[in-house]
Amino acid sequence: MYDLNFFLQQLSNGLTRGSIYALIALGYTMVYGVMKLINFAHGELFTLGAYFGYTILVTLGLAGSLGPPMAIGLSMIMVLGLVALAGHLLERVAYRPLRHSDRLAAVVSALGASIFLQNAIMLKWGAQYRAFGADLLPNVVFHIRNFNLPLVRLLVFVAAIVVMAILHLFIHRTRLGLAIRASAIDQGAAKLMGIDVRKVIALVFIIGPALGGLAGLLVGLYYGQINYNMGQIYGLKAFTAAIIGGIGNITGAMVGGLLLGLLEAMGEGYVSVAWKDALTFVVLIMILVFRPTGLLPERVAEKL
Amino acid sequence: MTQNNGPPNGPPASAPAKDLARGPALNQTNQVNHLANNLANNLAPELNGSKTNPILAILTGLGLLIFAFLPMILAALVGRSTPYWLDVINTVGLYTILALSLNVILGHAGMFHMGHAAFFAIGAYSTAILNLTYGWSIMATMPVAALAAGLVALILAWPIIHLRGDYLLIVTIGIVEIVRIALTNNIFGLTGGSNGLVGIARPSLFGFRITSPKHFFYFIWIVVGLTFLLFHWLENSRFGRALKFIKEDTVAAENMGVNTSRYKLMAFVVGAAWAGLAGTIFASRMRTISPESFVFSESVLLFTIVILGGKGSQKGVLLGSFLVIGLPEFFRGFEDKRLLVFGAALVVMMIFRPQGLLPSKQARYKLPPAWADRLAHLPKPEANGSNGPGPQNSVAPKKGP
């Protein structure tokens, strides 16, 4: 059973799952980099993305009227926009007034926002699982010898990687990206250099949630069903991924996400399904004990 | 370091001329150090915080008296639903014990610990296993439950105690998840998996079996009272003062010779052990425990109680428990919207009162008059780091030593 084929299966599964973790982790790491705040509500923004996608594709029936490729493309763009808006509102209401108060106050405010959003989603869409419908994507499976690669897996992975590549270019090749990196290194100095840190924070709270929301939609497409409290466990995992990569480090979040996805898939395949989540956290603790700044070597100039 | 307007404390007239430039600064430092040493050695225990005004004391006494007769008062007021309301108040009491124990870690030592449910779980399961499998009486399991939770805390916290702020937060979340998964997966075949353990006995004290909500009311709230006294005493002990110092400024504490890691670890273990003890009460009260009672959101609830009430303040924690656990019971009609409101309320509270409802007061230490006088006449630190000459830099004291 444990042959090469099985390994490749777990590998592709792990990479896809990891790319989703990476997308969510980016939101945590960008916000943390600039504000030094764990955005506990980020997991709920991710769930919100899944439900927006569900509403657009299933409830409004966009998939039926436009055909799958157009519908999914359009829904991705709409989810990006809608969740970005939600993230911006969240920042204005729950975080901006607390920028200068105690760290713990901001943490509790984030927890409150998380509880609020989770229950708002439950009240709006119900507590039961929602199915994305099997006919949404053509059930194509590519066969390469014995190795099976479903289309949806490929699609999710490619979408996540493309978005991350765009973000990478944005962060490293544009003036706004430079401003984000500068604010993450030293807010005070960034201010003195004429960077409007308030705007940077607002920007980070638009990009991060948008990516998280997209991840939510991808999870809906990949697993076919969503639930109102799935943001909690995905959020925890993604935050773990961000820490594995070195929190505040954008490239680190991507690498950490992929690593965590692989670790989980391998743990599930070769160790035990029931213990895979525990394995994640054990690895997290190990990393923090032996390498508190994360796996990627700390390079201040690179550290977002 | 130079001061143009003459030395505030003036070196002795016989001091050599070359000392004039640096003398005052050195002199001040010495004096401050000398004072600090003396304070630490002789005066610190003279706490001023426990002085209460008589009206408040009488009101508190009255409140306690009313509370002691609460079961009878409730019976007169609400009649047949007394057991229900007593149950609510008992739950509040249990959460108060837990939150007070978390307060030692989060409020006093300032460690971001969001995994307290893990130690609560270890206590509850220790009691359940010892009682069900080995037939121990509940009260006998209590110290073992506390010890087990404390021991696990010691082992787990040892390598992570140096982690700062948010890293510790995420690790403690990891711990609570690992414990929950271990319980669900029926670790060592002892925990009953996701069904948990059923049929735990009731506690009995001196031959008296504690069974009804009324019994538990007295049992739980006496433990709350003991917890209050214990942690109040601990807060003002040498241990508590060391924690306060560490929370305010870890580096300074380290420099003054406080073994910060050891004190933090001690605080963690004490808090965890007390949560384990609360686990015993929980297990014997519920008679059935399962992993669902010890999930991450339970830890979050405890965390918010401490911060909402005012971290470091025991009265704040008590108020927080009543608000977070008790108050929602009045809104049972809005069952599904309660948590929505709770979340929004947390955000609003933190915006308008980030320090919590009843924040702990800055500890005040009483100085004997002689020391107070000398401290008052020491130059202010700003006078040293001056940016040039000017009369505003002079702190010329009128009375020399």
Side-chain angles (χ1 to χ4, degrees), chain B residues 366-381:
Chain B
K366 194 175 185 178
L367 297 174
W371 290 113
D373 194 51
R374 289 180 71 175
L375 267 182
H377 291 295
L378 275 174
K380 300 234 169 358

Side-chain angles (χ1 to χ4, degrees), chain B residues 105 107-111 161 238-255 257-267:
Chain B
I105 303 170
H108 294 161
M111 292 186 281
I161 206 75
R238 188 183 174 84
F239 172 68
R241 278 179 283 126
L243 287 185
K244 213 167 280 176
F245 195 1
I246 292 168
K247 189 179 73 171
E248 294 300 330
D249 193 333
T250 313
V251 178
E254 191 97 49
N255 283 339
V258 178
N259 187 342
T260 54
S261 296
R262 208 185 91 208
Y263 276 109
K264 278 175 159 180
L265 198 61
M266 274 163 74

Side-chain angles (χ1 to χ4, degrees), chain B residues 97-111 113 116 227 230-232 234-235 239-240 243-244 247 263-272 274 306 311-314 317:
Chain B
I97 300 169
L98 283 168
L100 284 173
S101 68
L102 175 63
N103 188 39
V104 175
I105 303 170
L106 176 62
H108 294 161
M111 292 186 281
H113 169 41
H116 214 47
T227 311
L230 174 77
F231 288 153
H232 180 76
L234 211 61
E235 186 184 349
F239 172 68
L243 287 185
K244 213 167 280 176
K247 189 179 73 171
Y263 276 109
K264 278 175 159 180
L265 198 61
M266 274 163 74
F268 204 88
V269 170
V270 167
W274 210 256
V306 174
K311 58 178 188 297
S313 143
Q314 300 218 65
V317 169

Side-chain angles (χ1 to χ4, degrees), chain B residues 188-245:
Chain B
F188 310 131
L190 282 171
T191 66
S194 50
N195 295 328
L197 296 168
V198 185
I200 302 151
R202 297 292 195 187
S204 58
L205 262 180
F206 312 114
F208 180 80
R209 273 188 82 225
I210 298 167
T211 51
S212 69
K214 192 172 155 185
H215 299 164
F216 268 103
F217 171 80
Y218 288 108
F219 181 47
I220 288 176
W221 282 94
I222 285 171
V223 177
V224 172
L226 292 176
T227 311
F228 229 87
L229 293 177
L230 174 77
F231 288 153
H232 180 76
W233 168 77
L234 211 61
E235 186 184 349
N236 297 321
S237 67
R238 188 183 174 84
F239 172 68
R241 278 179 283 126
L243 287 185
K244 213 167 280 176
F245 195 1

Side-chain angles (χ1 to χ4, degrees), chain A residues 198-236:
Chain A
R198 270 179 53 150
K199 281 207 181 114
V200 169
I201 291 176
L203 182 67
V204 156
F205 261 104
I206 286 171
I207 299 176
L211 297 178
L214 179 70
L217 173 62
L218 292 179
V219 163
L221 289 173
Y222 188 44
Y223 292 104
Q225 58 177 12
I226 54 177
N227 185 237
Y228 78 98
N229 59 9
M230 67 180 189
Q232 197 171 319
I233 190 72
Y234 271 94
L236 272 180

